[in-house]
Amino acid sequence: MNQEYSGSGDPAKSLELLWGLQSRPTRGPKPALTVDAIVEAGLKIADAEGLAAMSMRRVADELGVGAMTLYRYVPGKGELIDVMLDTVYGELPRREVDGDWRAKLDEVARENRRLYLNHPWLLQVATSRPPLGPNLMAKYEYELRSVEGIGLTDVEMDAAIALVNGYVHGAVRSAIEAAQVIQRSGITDKQWWLAHEPLLEKIGDAAKFPLAARVGSTVGQEFDAPYDSEHSFEFGLARVLDGIAALLRSR
């Protein structure tokens, strides 16, 4: 995947756009565009074709204006990506679920997973310098509430949220990449394995690799494929939450 970076533009300009702080002329003709319209066009392209296809010129074409027109509203692609990120964070339902911390943190993980699946291009943006927009701040506040008052320090609360979100990021990346392989090749995993079965039988020496042969065969029979993203996600998430539970029991 091609990689972009949040905060790669002018941070001050991004914050102005995110919080609506940019100055607006009080006189003159009505603006032909809005930042919201530009962001919507950018999201449409990124969702359909990936972030690499989303350029200022491409967005301008989508809106039927010249590329230079966009720069009156958004300084560049870096700032646009920052606003796009915060916009999709606003789609999170942030449901206040009943139950203990585990049920709440489980819901946090599932909401983030759905967001990635709806917008796969999110995986193409490194967010070590996140856009501190209103929706990101609301997301962080909501996620912290799931572990508030359960016996963690503030630093541990932040680390627990980062742990869950990091797990979701990795699990979803594997699922999306697997789906993209099927889409681009035009064949399912089962069809691919069946096509290569004669060769695999030659190299799959059960005597030399007994565990790999046994476990691989069991997984293949269970899922009719070498990998099942749903099972992998459920198994991994449960183990992450088990780890936090073990920490709490140790207190």
Side-chain angles (χ1 to χ4, degrees), residues 24-200:
R24 296 180 175 84
T26 57
R27 297 182 180 181
K30 182 179 179 181
L33 291 176
T34 64
V35 172
D36 288 345
I38 295 170
V39 170
E40 183 179 351
L43 289 174
K44 180 180 178 181
I45 296 168
D47 287 342
E49 304 175 44
L51 205 56
M54 199 281 295
S55 65
M56 295 295 278
R57 180 172 296 279
R58 181 68 188 281
V59 172
D61 291 342
E62 181 72 24
L63 293 168
V65 300
M68 294 306 297
T69 302
L70 296 191
Y71 293 102
R72 301 175 188 171
Y73 304 86
V74 179
K77 184 176 180 178
E79 294 84 0
L80 177 56
I81 289 174
D82 286 346
V83 183
M84 287 168 59
L85 281 171
D86 198 68
T87 299
V88 298
Y89 289 151
E91 297 176 10
L92 288 165
R94 297 196 287 268
R95 294 193 312 117
E96 300 293 346
V97 301
D98 296 328
D100 61 5
W101 67 266
R102 185 166 183 137
K104 295 175 181 177
L105 207 49
D106 182 272
E107 180 64 17
V108 166
R110 296 180 190 280
E111 288 184 4
N112 277 280
R113 181 173 185 256
R114 285 191 291 270
L115 193 69
Y116 280 118
L117 293 175
N118 289 336
H119 304 285
W121 60 268
L122 287 171
L123 295 172
Q124 298 172 258
V125 185
T127 56
S128 58
R129 295 179 178 176
L132 300 178
N135 291 319
L136 174 61
M137 297 302 293
K139 176 181 185 292
Y140 186 49
E141 178 78 13
Y142 162 74
E143 292 172 347
L144 287 173
R145 286 202 299 271
S146 67
V147 291
E148 169 71 342
I150 67 172
L152 299 177
T153 67
D154 285 354
V155 171
E156 289 170 340
M157 287 169 61
D158 177 82
I161 296 302
L163 174 64
V164 170
N165 284 334
Y167 166 72
V168 172
H169 186 278
V172 172
R173 178 180 290 274
S174 297
I176 289 175
E177 288 176 346
Q180 289 175 340
V181 166
I182 295 173
Q183 182 182 26
R184 292 171 183 172
S185 67
I187 61 174
T188 65
D189 286 335
K190 181 179 181 180
Q191 291 170 328
W192 188 90
W193 283 101
L194 287 174
H196 293 84
E197 190 172 24
L199 176 60
L200 294 174

Side-chain angles (χ1 to χ4, degrees), residues 232-244:
S232 180
F233 176 78
E234 296 294 342
F235 181 86
L237 177 59
R239 302 295 77 78
V240 169
L241 298 181
D242 286 347
I244 296 174

